[in-house]
Amino acid sequence: MKVIPTAIADVLILEPVVHGDARGFFLESYNKREFLRATGVEADFVQDNHSRSSKNVLRGLHYQLHQPQGKLVRVVVGEVYDVAVDLRRSSPSFGQWVGFHLSAQSKRMAWIPPGFAHGFLVVSDFAEFLYKTTDYYAPEQERTLLWNDPALGIDWPFPGEPLLAAKDRAGTPLGKAEVFS
């Protein structure tokens, strides 16, 4: 596995070794030993999630306050623009964001540590997105950071308005959001 650093040190892009031939391909999408060796992160994944979304759907920016989730994410169909926002007040990158494309074609994954808000925009006709999480989904702990908060200035790669869930449309700006210490 190749680790590609991002502008925020704790957010990592991971490129698996892909074995392919005329029949197709094989890759190891997760191996605890290899993940630890490559990233230095000892993660205990407890839940897998799978979503499918249409073009211009924006999901996020979500986080769980008292049960923060680390997420290992990847796209198995289509392409997304993935974004992570550092909400750890003690971090030198607090309030900063990093964005990158993930696609079925590239087979790259991303590690989003606990303490980050996370979201993605579908840039293909549709996309299927998988996430492994380090804590269980806790709806009472879920918070939503406003996707288009001018204080963040996220450069989403699309013209116009995305398709949003009501909770994402009503997200909280960073200046009023509950964050991590």
Side-chain angles (χ1 to χ4, degrees):
M1 176 182 309
K2 177 180 175 186
V3 176
I4 302 164
T6 69
I8 297 178
D10 296 329
V11 177
L12 304 171
I13 297 172
L14 308 171
E15 195 169 84
V17 175
V18 179
H19 306 278
D21 59 26
R23 300 168 298 151
F25 72 88
F26 172 86
L27 67 86
E28 200 169 69
S29 60
Y30 177 71
N31 175 309
K32 187 172 186 165
R33 236 182 355 238
E34 179 63 12
F35 183 79
L36 175 60
R37 184 205 62 75
T39 66
V41 174
E42 191 161 351
D44 182 22
F45 294 105
V46 298
Q47 183 174 320
D48 285 356
N49 303 317
H50 184 152
S51 70
R52 180 182 169 104
S53 304
S54 301
K55 185 172 187 145
N56 293 332
V57 165
L58 192 151
R59 293 185 183 268
L61 299 158
H62 303 145
Y63 63 103
Q64 290 188 180
L65 194 59
H66 296 292
Q67 287 179 246
Q69 295 175 308
K71 297 175 181 176
L72 181 61
V73 300
R74 68 189 184 110
V75 173
V76 294
V77 175
E79 182 176 0
V80 306
Y81 184 70
D82 200 74
V83 171
V85 181
D86 192 346
L87 296 181
R88 303 167 301 168
R89 193 171 296 285
S90 61
S91 169
S93 56
F94 173 74
Q96 295 177 24
W97 65 275
V98 62
F100 40 82
H101 288 267
L102 295 176
S103 69
Q105 183 177 1
S106 76
K107 298 173 184 53
R108 287 181 171 175
M109 299 172 268
W111 165 246
I112 314 296
F116 282 74
H118 173 257
F120 62 88
L121 170 72
V122 178
V123 297
S124 54
D125 288 339
F126 58 91
E128 294 195 23
F129 194 87
L130 303 180
Y131 353 8
K132 297 181 89 50
T133 64
T134 60
D135 207 338
Y136 298 101
Y137 175 61
E140 70 282 1
Q141 296 301 325
E142 186 176 38
R143 305 292 187 272
T144 302
L145 192 62
L146 185 61
W147 70 276
N148 64 348
D149 181 358
L152 295 172
I154 297 173
D155 189 17
W156 296 101
F158 69 100
E161 194 74 14
L163 300 171
L164 297 162
K167 72 177 181 180
D168 297 340
R169 188 175 288 107
T172 304
L174 178 62
K176 295 181 179 178
E178 297 175 89
V179 297
F180 303 93
S181 51

